[in-house]
Amino acid sequence: IGPLSTITITDPAVAKQISDQGSILDQMEEPVTDNVNFVNLKNVFLEHADEYLFFRSDHHWTHRGAYYAYSEFIKSVGMTPVPIDSLEMKVLNDGYIGSMYNYTGDDRVGRFFDTVEAYLPTKSCTMKVFFGNDTYSEWDKCIMTDYSNYVAFICGDNPYTVINVPENPQDKSVLVIKDSFGNAFVTYLTEHYGNIVVIDPRHADMNIHDFYSNYQFDDIVFMVNSSSANTQAWYDYLASLLS
């Protein structure tokens, strides 16, 4: 579960006026049974709170923020995360104005220019993105470096996406069920898995058990922000994947 940007706020006067993201994550972890791997991101985000983890004009985390979610997940399943400093970083846009300006229409938000940074995978991959109505496109990358916004990561929100990494073991597969926070997260998984299947239940229209019965997934990951995860709508989306 990805925390919202308010987790990085340390000013007590401001913090008392907003929801405590760390507490929310702890409460979500409490009822989780032993056969579910709940990766609590509270501590790692507090540890790196002074870094550029979230956009100022957009509700998403940055690619660096997504990296820390990836690193904690990968460690939790017994693998070693690639050091972020070993990845080539490319600036896609240094004048980005994101979703919060569109949501609020507040000119003050329109003056918060963000930088869209992408940490490029070390391994080549192919990506097939399905848009619905049997239409799809294919690329030889999972980060669209010619895009200048958050859609650069796996081409944004789509019903489902399949990424293949020839260099990785082809019998090592992962299923990611996500909202838009998962887009930036998924790109790092190319360092470990041969096959990555991504489903956005807000847009998908399928029974995932029937659709992917031939896959032998090593891991199934739910990557969604803490606000979405605590809504009835999200549970309804998930239920639709099994109907």
Side-chain angles (χ1 to χ4, degrees):
I1 302 296
L4 302 183
S5 60
T6 52
I7 198 170
T8 63
I9 294 176
T10 56
D11 183 337
V14 178
K16 70 180 182 181
Q17 301 180 54
I18 56 179
S19 61
D20 184 339
Q21 287 292 302
S23 176
I24 289 172
L25 294 178
D26 288 342
Q27 291 177 57
M28 294 181 71
E29 183 178 18
E30 265 183 36
V32 174
T33 58
D34 291 340
N35 60 343
V36 175
N37 176 24
F38 187 93
V39 182
N40 193 326
L41 299 175
K42 177 181 72 173
N43 291 335
V44 71
F45 273 79
L46 291 174
E47 179 184 349
H48 295 276
D50 60 341
E51 298 179 29
Y52 190 37
L53 305 182
F54 295 90
F55 296 114
R56 297 182 301 164
S57 70
D58 192 279
H59 66 287
H60 294 105
W61 50 22
T62 63
H63 207 204
R64 175 174 280 271
Y67 170 83
Y68 291 115
Y70 144 79
S71 65
E72 293 301 293
F73 163 69
I74 284 296
K75 287 186 287 187
S76 77
V77 292
M79 292 185 279
T80 302
V82 60
I84 193 168
D85 293 340
S86 70
L87 300 175
E88 178 188 353
M89 192 275 282
K90 182 178 179 65
V91 174
L92 306 185
N93 187 352
D94 61 2
Y96 177 54
I97 301 175
S99 61
M100 297 310 296
Y101 179 66
N102 293 328
Y103 291 158
T104 65
D106 192 320
D107 288 340
R108 292 170 297 179
V109 181
R111 294 193 291 271
F112 293 157
F113 293 107
D114 278 300
T115 300
V116 181
E117 300 172 340
Y119 291 86
L120 305 182
T122 66
K123 300 176 180 179
S124 62
C125 70
T126 60
M127 181 174 72
K128 192 170 186 178
V129 178
F130 295 83
F131 304 110
N133 299 319
D134 296 322
T135 62
Y136 64 87
S137 292
E138 296 181 79
W139 288 274
D140 60 357
K141 55 188 175 181
C142 62
I143 298 178
M144 322 305 287
T145 52
D146 52 339
Y147 288 17
S148 60
N149 54 30
Y150 194 76
V151 179
F153 305 109
I154 69 167
C155 204
D157 296 326
N158 296 289
Y160 65 103
T161 301
V162 179
I163 300 171
N164 177 257
V165 188
E167 190 176 335
N168 290 338
Q170 293 302 291
D171 60 350
K172 192 165 187 62
S173 301
V174 60
L175 170 64
V176 181
I177 299 173
K178 60 85 184 177
D179 68 0
S180 55
F181 268 50
N183 300 353
F185 169 87
V186 162
T187 64
Y188 294 111
L189 300 182
T190 59
E191 302 297 329
H192 308 275
Y193 294 92
N195 293 285
I196 304 163
V197 176
V198 186
I199 296 178
D200 191 324
R202 299 169 301 172
H203 304 287
D205 181 18
M206 65 179 72
N207 181 302
I208 58 173
H209 179 269
D210 295 342
F211 206 77
Y212 290 110
S213 59
N214 292 329
Y215 275 84
Q216 298 295 317
F217 292 114
D218 296 89
D219 299 296
I220 299 176
V221 182
F222 293 86
M223 175 46 68
V224 57
N225 75 70
S226 62
S227 178
S228 294
N230 283 288
T231 63
Q232 182 63 46
W234 181 252
Y235 290 101
D236 292 341
Y237 289 135
L238 293 179
S240 71
L241 294 180
L242 299 174
S243 62

